[in-house]
């Protein structure tokens, strides 16, 4: 991780909550990518941030890729 922008924590997550984290690559500048990340509990936002990350040449990445956990 190179930089975190606009990190907002909207409400606490407590034991027993099911946290759903989604992320999407919105910019690809070769060795650097910008990812938007959102966290939700029961469909309600609890956190969000934009993260700049350095990407290894051995890690394939494509703009618009979405990941959810």
């Amino acid at each position: 991780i190179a930089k975190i922008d606009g990190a907002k924590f909207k409400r606490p997550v407590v034991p027993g909550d099911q946290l759903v984290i989604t992320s999407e690559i919105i910019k690809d500048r070769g060795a650097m990518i910008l990812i938007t990340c959102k966290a939700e509990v029961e469909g309600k936002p609890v956190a969000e941030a934009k993260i700049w990350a350095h990407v290894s040449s051995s890690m394939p990445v494509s703009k618009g890729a979405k990941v959810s956990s």
Side-chain angles (χ1 to χ4, degrees):
I1 295 177
K3 181 179 178 183
I4 298 174
D5 286 328
K8 295 179 184 177
F9 299 92
K10 300 178 182 221
R11 75 174 185 89
V13 177
V14 297
D17 283 348
Q18 182 177 1
L19 182 66
V20 177
I21 302 170
T22 57
S23 60
E24 180 179 359
I25 298 168
I26 58 172
K27 287 187 183 177
D28 183 350
R29 295 191 175 162
M32 297 290 289
I33 58 173
L34 178 60
I35 308 161
T36 57
C37 303
K38 297 178 183 179
E40 298 179 335
V41 172
E42 296 180 0
K44 297 177 184 169
V46 294
E48 63 184 44
K50 290 184 179 177
I51 300 172
W52 280 100
H54 181 266
V55 180
S56 167
S57 61
S58 64
M59 179 185 287
V61 185
S62 60
K63 185 176 177 183
K66 294 183 180 183
V67 179
S68 179
S69 64

